[in-house]
Amino acid sequence: EVRFYPKPVKDQLNIELPTGVHEIEVFDLRGKLITSFRTNQTKFTYNMSEFGSGLYLFKVSNGESSKIYKVVK
């Protein structure tokens, strides 16, 4: 199970992922790719302090499938 919290996020977004390697892509609402990274961690914190207020889309892919999650800042 993938979890993003708190909702809404202030500066630090906590992310929980299943075991394995995941690619995470972050988009704004216009579909512009802001950043992307790979991780094999199951729990980590992502710094969103530089992001403006708004809605962001986090696309999580594991090589077999992908899903998009909405995150409000």
Side-chain angles (χ1 to χ4, degrees), residues 4-72:
F4 292 88
Y5 59 93
K7 294 179 183 178
V9 62
K10 277 192 172 251
D11 293 328
Q12 301 298 319
L13 175 65
N14 298 301
I15 301 174
E16 294 183 11
L17 300 168
T19 302
V21 177
H22 294 85
E23 180 173 357
I24 299 177
E25 297 172 291
V26 183
F27 298 89
D28 66 15
L29 273 185
R30 294 186 306 258
K32 179 183 173 190
L33 179 64
I34 297 170
T35 189
S36 65
F37 57 95
R38 293 176 75 81
T39 184
N40 62 356
Q41 298 179 20
T42 56
K43 280 187 173 185
F44 64 100
T45 302
Y46 183 71
N47 184 355
M48 291 186 69
S49 62
E50 305 268 328
F51 288 52
S53 297
L55 183 66
Y56 295 90
L57 304 175
F58 281 68
K59 181 179 178 183
V60 178
S61 305
N62 66 4
E64 296 176 11
S65 64
S66 62
K67 188 168 180 181
I68 295 175
Y69 299 87
K70 295 177 184 175
V71 173
V72 176

